[in-house]
Amino acid sequence: MRSLDLARTLTLPPWVARLVGRLPMWPPSRLLALVLNQVVRPHLAEDVIPAIDGRTLRVEVYDAGLRLDVVWQQGAFRPAAAGQSCELVIRASAWDFGRLLLRREDPDTLFFARRLCIEGDTELGLHVKNTLDALPADAWLSPALPAPVRQWLARHLLNTP
């Protein structure tokens, strides 16, 4: 079975989205901003920084009921203010985001299969995609991340013990 076929069946149960969707979104947005600052910020190209300055990005994990809003301000990713409009929305299932993070699936493949949705500012979307594509695989192994997280990522991203 191809991975795209398998992934259609791998979504979280609907009750997860109903439960998580009721929770405040600021703490997960703060966590995303912290991770982006540790993993992505050191690898940002100089020409990307002015293009993302003050711009708000939403990551929606639809089957988990998560909407994570971050903005680049004053040289760092920060959680966006509640109710702030987003200029770019990237939406997929938890499974598909995991496959993207682990580089087991190509974003273009998911996009054309209509399993990764990107809405909003096209130029900003290209900057985000190109930045993530340019990250070295071991970027997710930042020493600032807890050791168990680094070990799990090392096993799954780099196939190392």
Side-chain angles (χ1 to χ4, degrees), residues 1-22:
M1 181 182 298
R2 290 184 12 215
S3 64
L4 285 176
D5 295 333
L6 175 65
R8 282 194 190 106
T9 63
L10 296 175
T11 57
L12 298 173
W15 65 266
V16 173
R18 286 192 304 271
L19 175 67
V20 174
R22 292 184 177 152

Side-chain angles (χ1 to χ4, degrees), residues 34-43 135 139-142 145:
L34 289 171
V35 169
L36 291 174
N37 283 323
Q38 293 300 318
V39 175
V40 176
R41 185 173 68 179
H43 301 282
L135 286 177
W140 297 102
L141 303 179
S142 167
L145 296 174

Side-chain angles (χ1 to χ4, degrees), residues 122-155:
T122 305
E123 181 182 356
L124 180 59
L126 285 173
H127 283 299
V128 170
K129 180 190 178 302
N130 293 339
T131 297
L132 294 176
D133 284 346
L135 286 177
D138 65 351
W140 297 102
L141 303 179
S142 167
L145 296 174
V149 172
R150 284 195 320 273
Q151 291 165 356
W152 184 89
L153 288 170
R155 275 195 312 274

Side-chain angles (χ1 to χ4, degrees), residues 34-58:
L34 289 171
V35 169
L36 291 174
N37 283 323
Q38 293 300 318
V39 175
V40 176
R41 185 173 68 179
H43 301 282
L44 279 176
E46 289 298 318
D47 63 326
V48 171
I49 293 172
I52 64 172
D53 192 31
R55 312 288 299 278
T56 305
L57 165 69
R58 172 175 287 164

Side-chain angles (χ1 to χ4, degrees), residues 107-116:
D108 293 330
T109 301
L110 290 176
F111 179 79
F112 289 114
R114 296 185 178 167
R115 300 222 341 265
L116 175 67

Side-chain angles (χ1 to χ4, degrees), residues 69-90:
D69 296 348
V70 294
V71 61
W72 178 268
Q73 288 179 330
Q74 301 168 346
F77 291 100
R78 303 180 189 290
Q84 186 170 345
S85 65
C86 295
E87 291 150 290
L88 182 68
V89 177
I90 301 173

